[in-house]
Amino acid sequence: MKQKILIIDDEPDLLTYLKTFLEDQGYEVCCAGDVQSALKMVPSEKPDLVCLDIMMPIQSGISFYEHLRRNGLSQGIPVIIISGLNEEALKQWVQKLEAEGTIREPYGFLNKPVDLERLLAMIREVLPS
Amino acid sequence: MTETPIQPPISSRGSRGCDQWLQQWLCENLFDHLPVSVAVIDRERRIVNANFIFEQTFGPFSGRRCFEAYKHRSLPCEKCRAMGIFQDGKTRHSYERGVDRSEAPIDYLMHLTAIPGEDQDAEVKYILQTAMDITPWAQQEQEYRLFYEHAPCTIAVLDRDYRIVRGNPRLRSIFGSRLGRPCYEVFKNQSEKCLECPAERTFQDGGIYHALQTGQTQGGNVTHYFVTSAPLLQTENRVEQVIELSMDITQERVLETEVGKLRAVQESLIENSNRGILVIDPEGKIIILNPALERLLQRSKEEVHSLSDLEPNLPPFLRQIIREGRETCLLPGAPLVRARDGEEIPVRFTNVCLKMGQETLGYASFFEDLREIKKLEKEKLDAERLAAVGQTVAGIAHGVKNIIMGLEGGLYVVKSASKKQDSKLASEGWRMLENNIMKISALIKDFLNFSKGHEPQPQWVQPEQIARDVIALYEEAARKEGIILEEDLMDGIEKAPMDPQAIHSCLANLVSNAIDACRMSDPPGGRIVVSLREKDGSILFEVLDNGCGMDYEVKKKVFTNFFSTKGMGGTGVGLLTTRKIVQEHGGKIEFESMAGRGSRFTMVFPRNRLPGAAEKN
């Protein structure tokens, strides 16, 4: 059975790109263009991994992450952040998570434009076949 | 009774014969010819006889008793001296105050003497009362006493050794009871006579002299007084006593000193103030034109005497405000004054009316040179713009990342599709490539527009018209999306100096964003209200929507760089450009938003900061 990855990003082109790439690598991929649709998809699709963008309209990826982690059914799902935000901004966010101590920090961070090899390596670490 | 002249017979000679005649004449006439009131009373104090002067002074004597006649009393006086004489026969004198025939008070010296009876040992039957009217002297004495005791100055009588022989109560209260001590010791705690001594000059020539003196009270306080010396007791050749009247002017001197200090401080402030200060009297005559204003206008105060002399320097509306004494403060942007060399200088102008109670003393105007501030403001605006460009450069890198990913993605998808012979995927890849090429092209164009910048071209326009144009422009687009676009425009907002195209594009950007927010909300649709109002001197354009709103992380990014939440729909330059235009109009943009509830963007334009606000004036 194929492992399933949920990609959340408001850029339709990026969704198409990563979906095509990850399907080529043998994964099953589902996509969400905003946080609200992603939150609906988590219980129904039951993804093994989430690739999450941060800056999105209406609600940011941060609110999705916090929601995911505070929900008992989904809090174990590993998350890789794929963002255009600089590392400084992401570090601040991680520090905030650590300070709160309530939720785990994401599995990994990748900057846009995505280095596909690094992404694949990270996914294979998280989801060994 | 009539007065008859005394006429002793000239032919009378011989002492014995003469004496008899004289005695007879005196008996018959002297009583009535004495220039004092004379009356005779019996033991019952009834007046049995009185002379002409008595009746002139106290009225008819017949049937009256002495206390009734002299004092209009119904009962005898408490201390009746006559009764004493009836008992011991001894003469008595007294000072009395009574009432004359016209009910006026009368002061008189009373001399009472017993009239001897036929028998020396017999009891006194009659008393002769002689009353001398001293009313004028008594009144004068009373006036002098009042003055002496209550005068608002010290009074000292000095002898030729400058010793104080008399002093009024005020003198004693200030300098102590030191009668017999020399005046210089009492007044000044000195052991020697003063160099400038008005009393000395009075003693020398009997003249009246004045001098300002500084002394010391018995409490040790310095006191200033104005002294007048005059001769009091003068013999034929020399002045024996001098009276010195000293008016305490310490308070006045202290006030004078304080006023002097205040005046010095005030003059120093005016002379050294960085603000130009102009003070005119109610007739328009210039009273003060300080050095700062001289420098500002390049005019010398010697050459300007009235407000009309400043005609080349102050615009008519400013001169009118000053002339009318209108209390006002015109902020930057409004008034411009013109220096002699023709340079127009922006100033902050304040005008106040100088009043003392109801009386208008004049008008004061303050001119603050704003050239330096304007320069700094421009530098700040430039710096802000540069910072915005810097942020934009950083932001564009961020925006470009998505585009690069789109391009890389498109390329990958095309390659992958070609391997898989998937034509549908291939066309999707091509679309991605085309979209991202268009997007980078639009981004670069927007960036170029933003960075080239241009000064606002203000025109006097109706803000309401701009709002109506924008609403008309988006009405159809909103309707198609099922969005209600409403207007709430305040009536009577006056024209304002704005770049109509620039403000139009700002408002259009906000309305376009609101439409996007409503379209992205779940379910799509919603309501947008475009409002315009004026409050506290500021024009406010507001766009309120109940669309998707923003959460905290998104709000933080709104104005920071080329951030867009619209995916393929926007380059992120819109709000940045809007903020820039608003700032160039001296305004600011504010917003509040709540995820899922909606957003409110408000552009606030203070009228006095609008570019070229002065021109209309």
Side-chain angles (χ1 to χ4, degrees):
Chain A
M1 191 178 162
K2 284 184 179 177
Q3 289 164 311
K4 191 185 276 187
I5 299 172
L6 169 61
I7 309 170
I8 308 165
D9 203 303
D10 61 311
E11 283 287 327
D13 289 351
L14 187 111
L15 291 178
T16 310
Y17 179 21
L18 293 186
K19 186 174 188 292
T20 309
F21 171 70
L22 292 175
E23 281 175 351
D24 289 349
Q25 305 308 316
Y27 295 101
E28 188 180 341
V29 178
C30 53
C31 299
D34 58 67
V35 171
Q36 286 298 322
S37 344
L39 287 171
K40 282 178 195 162
M41 285 170 81
V42 171
S44 59
E45 297 286 343
K46 296 187 177 57
D48 299 297
L49 171 73
V50 174
C51 293
L52 176 65
D53 182 25
I54 297 293
M55 295 312 300
M56 286 183 286
I58 312 170
Q59 272 179 283
S60 71
I62 290 172
S63 61
F64 171 84
Y65 186 79
E66 289 174 350
H67 199 276
L68 190 81
R69 282 285 175 261
R70 291 185 205 287
N71 188 316
L73 291 172
S74 60
Q75 62 186 194
I77 302 173
V79 175
I80 296 171
I81 303 291
I82 301 174
S83 170
L85 285 182
N86 60 31
E87 286 184 20
E88 195 62 35
L90 288 172
K91 268 184 201 163
Q92 281 177 11
W93 178 50
V94 173
Q95 277 167 4
K96 197 176 149 216
L97 288 183
E98 282 174 349
E100 284 175 354
T102 50
I103 50 176
R104 282 195 296 132
E105 58 181 274
Y107 183 82
F109 294 95
L110 286 174
N111 266 119
K112 287 178 182 176
V114 185
D115 180 335
L116 293 183
E117 282 183 20
R118 281 192 64 199
L119 174 65
L120 192 59
M122 208 177 269
I123 290 172
R124 281 179 179 158
E125 270 176 37
V126 185
L127 303 174
S129 50
Chain B
M1 285 173 88
T2 54
E3 198 174 354
T4 46
I6 300 169
Q7 290 174 335
I10 304 166
S11 58
S12 299
R13 293 287 187 272
S15 63
R16 183 78 189 154
C18 179
D19 282 351
Q20 278 178 352
W21 178 87
L22 186 59
Q23 271 185 351
Q24 188 185 346
W25 184 89
L26 287 172
C27 285
E28 288 170 3
N29 297 295
L30 183 62
F31 197 62
D32 276 334
H33 284 92
L34 281 172
V36 291
S37 300
V38 183
V40 177
I41 59 167
D42 64 11
R43 291 185 71 90
E44 300 301 317
R45 286 173 283 202
R46 274 193 295 268
I47 301 170
V48 293
N49 202 349
N51 70 349
F52 171 73
I53 295 292
F54 179 95
E55 290 200 312
Q56 283 286 301
T57 311
F58 297 105
F61 72 87
S62 178
R64 296 168 80 192
R65 287 183 288 183
C66 63
F67 49 84
E68 293 167 339
Y70 291 115
K71 301 201 174 177
H72 292 197
R73 291 172 63 102
S74 55
L75 293 170
C77 306
E78 283 81 17
K79 287 182 182 174
C80 178
R81 287 176 178 80
M83 291 314 288
I85 296 171
F86 281 124
Q87 283 168 9
D88 60 22
K90 287 180 182 171
T91 298
R92 284 172 168 79
H93 310 275
S94 61
Y95 163 79
E96 300 288 337
R97 168 160 282 196
V99 184
D100 73 6
R101 60 187 296 184
S102 61
E103 299 291 332
I106 178 168
D107 295 282
Y108 54 94
L109 288 174
M110 179 67 97
H111 178 89
L112 298 119
T113 185
I115 297 174
E118 289 170 11
D119 182 350
Q120 287 293 322
D121 299 330
E123 62 178 7
V124 177
K125 286 183 179 172
Y126 299 102
I127 290 172
L128 184 70
Q129 294 179 321
T130 312
M132 183 186 283
D133 182 1
I134 55 162
T135 306
W137 297 278
Q139 274 180 359
Q140 212 169 35
E141 196 254 335
Q142 171 79 355
E143 283 165 11
Y144 277 120
R145 195 169 62 243
L146 276 173
F147 173 72
Y148 186 73
E149 284 175 3
H150 303 290
C153 58
T154 62
I155 300 171
V157 177
L158 311 178
D159 66 13
R160 289 191 65 86
D161 295 326
Y162 303 99
R163 289 178 197 284
I164 299 173
V165 294
R166 278 199 305 282
N168 72 339
R170 193 174 176 85
L171 173 85
R172 294 195 296 274
S173 73
I174 298 174
F175 297 101
S177 295
R178 291 155 82 181
L179 289 184
R181 307 304 308 167
C183 59
Y184 45 82
E185 187 185 304
V186 173
F187 292 140
K188 299 193 178 184
N189 263 339
Q190 281 180 190
S191 54
E192 287 181 10
K193 197 169 67 63
C194 309
L195 290 174
E196 287 285 321
C197 177
E200 183 181 28
R201 297 176 68 188
T202 301
F203 276 126
Q204 280 169 359
D205 61 15
I208 295 175
Y209 293 99
H210 309 283
L212 281 171
Q213 299 279 2
T214 302
Q216 208 173 40
T217 65
Q218 61 174 342
N221 296 323
V222 172
T223 175
H224 302 276
Y225 45 92
F226 180 74
V227 183
T228 300
S229 67
L232 184 68
L233 192 60
Q234 213 167 357
T235 58
E236 203 168 311
N237 295 322
R238 67 179 202 168
V239 177
E240 295 297 336
Q241 286 183 345
V242 162
I243 186 164
E244 255 190 8
L245 292 92
S246 304
M247 181 72 78
D248 185 356
I249 53 164
T250 309
Q251 200 62 31
E252 287 76 4
R253 284 294 290 271
V254 169
L255 281 174
E256 198 180 309
T257 311
E258 287 300 312
V259 168
K261 280 184 195 167
L262 272 176
R263 192 179 171 83
V265 170
Q266 194 184 40
E267 279 177 356
S268 175
L269 284 175
I270 292 170
E271 288 296 300
N272 297 300
S273 168
N274 284 332
R275 290 188 181 193
I277 300 173
L278 175 74
V279 179
I280 61 167
D281 69 11
E283 279 72 46
K285 190 181 156 210
I286 291 175
I287 301 167
I288 294 171
L289 192 153
N290 76 339
L293 192 58
E294 285 186 309
R295 289 193 297 274
L296 188 75
L297 304 179
Q298 296 165 3
R299 299 287 303 269
S300 157
K301 64 181 170 191
E302 273 72 38
E303 60 181 354
V304 283
H305 306 289
S306 68
L307 189 58
S308 56
D309 292 336
L310 290 172
E311 199 178 319
N313 309 99
L314 306 182
F317 81 96
L318 223 53
R319 274 184 283 127
Q320 193 177 346
I321 289 172
I322 299 171
R323 205 166 32 243
E324 290 172 1
R326 245 187 288 155
E327 300 218 340
T328 186
C329 176
L330 299 179
L331 292 167
L336 286 168
V337 298
R338 193 189 294 270
R340 188 197 286 275
D341 64 6
E343 184 188 356
E344 289 204 322
I345 302 166
V347 291
R348 184 198 302 267
F349 171 79
T350 310
N351 199 56
V352 291
C353 184
L354 305 173
K355 282 194 163 186
M356 194 166 70
Q358 292 299 310
E359 187 192 357
T360 299
L361 305 175
Y363 312 108
S365 313
F366 303 89
F367 301 80
E368 188 183 357
D369 185 351
L370 295 178
R371 278 176 295 187
E372 193 61 27
I373 290 174
K374 287 278 175 192
K375 194 175 143 215
L376 289 173
E377 263 182 8
K378 189 172 182 314
E379 282 172 7
K380 185 171 174 279
L381 200 67
D382 287 347
E384 276 177 10
R385 207 169 70 81
L386 277 174
V389 171
Q391 285 171 352
T392 305
V393 172
I396 201 166
H398 174 83
V400 164
K401 281 177 191 171
N402 280 337
I403 297 168
I404 290 172
M405 279 206 67
L407 291 169
E408 282 179 1
L411 206 59
Y412 180 89
V413 170
V414 168
K415 278 182 185 171
S416 175
S418 126
K419 274 184 197 163
K420 291 186 264 189
Q421 299 289 308
D422 185 341
S423 62
K424 195 180 164 198
L425 191 61
S427 63
E428 179 63 16
W430 279 116
R431 188 201 55 76
M432 283 167 70
L433 285 170
E434 280 171 4
N435 272 356
N436 284 287
I437 287 165
M438 277 167 60
K439 205 169 169 181
I440 202 161
S441 162
L443 179 62
I444 297 298
K445 278 181 195 163
D446 279 353
F447 176 66
L448 288 175
N449 274 338
F450 174 82
S451 60
K452 86 180 169 199
H454 76 116
E455 287 285 311
Q457 305 293 316
Q459 297 170 24
W460 283 89
V461 291
Q462 294 280 4
E464 188 188 330
Q465 194 53 49
I466 298 176
R468 288 198 189 287
D469 289 349
V470 172
I471 291 162
L473 185 67
Y474 282 95
E475 223 158 26
E476 184 60 20
R479 197 183 54 76
K480 276 185 185 164
E481 299 287 344
I483 298 162
I484 302 162
L485 179 58
E486 291 178 350
E487 61 177 43
D488 177 16
L489 312 177
M490 185 193 264
D491 288 331
I493 294 181
E494 287 186 11
K495 285 184 175 181
M498 290 174 158
D499 183 331
Q501 285 182 353
I503 301 298
H504 184 282
S505 70
C506 289
L507 192 59
N509 175 252
L510 297 183
V511 174
S512 160
N513 285 352
I515 289 174
D516 288 337
C518 289
R519 206 170 48 205
M520 283 192 273
S521 67
D522 186 20
R527 182 163 162 264
I528 298 168
V529 183
V530 177
S531 63
L532 168 69
R533 60 186 194 280
E534 182 156 2
K535 192 182 166 195
D536 302 330
S538 293
I539 298 165
L540 287 86
F541 288 95
E542 187 178 280
V543 179
L544 172 74
D545 71 67
N546 62 354
C548 61
M550 293 175 267
D551 76 357
Y552 177 71
E553 295 299 325
V554 178
K555 278 194 281 191
K556 277 205 302 188
K557 288 274 170 189
V558 164
F559 293 110
T560 55
N561 52 29
F562 277 39
F563 166 69
S564 172
T565 59
K566 295 182 190 170
M568 296 298 288
T571 60
V573 184
L575 276 178
L576 208 57
T577 310
T578 297
R579 184 180 67 169
K580 177 171 157 271
I581 292 170
V582 171
Q583 283 176 341
E584 280 170 351
H585 279 75
K588 60 180 176 179
I589 183 160
E590 297 167 343
F591 80 99
E592 49 188 320
S593 182
M594 199 180 282
R597 300 285 293 275
S599 305
R600 180 204 304 271
F601 281 80
T602 312
M603 300 189 286
V604 184
F605 298 101
R607 273 194 185 268
N608 55 28
R609 288 177 59 86
L610 285 168
E615 275 76 355
K616 192 186 182 189
N617 291 314

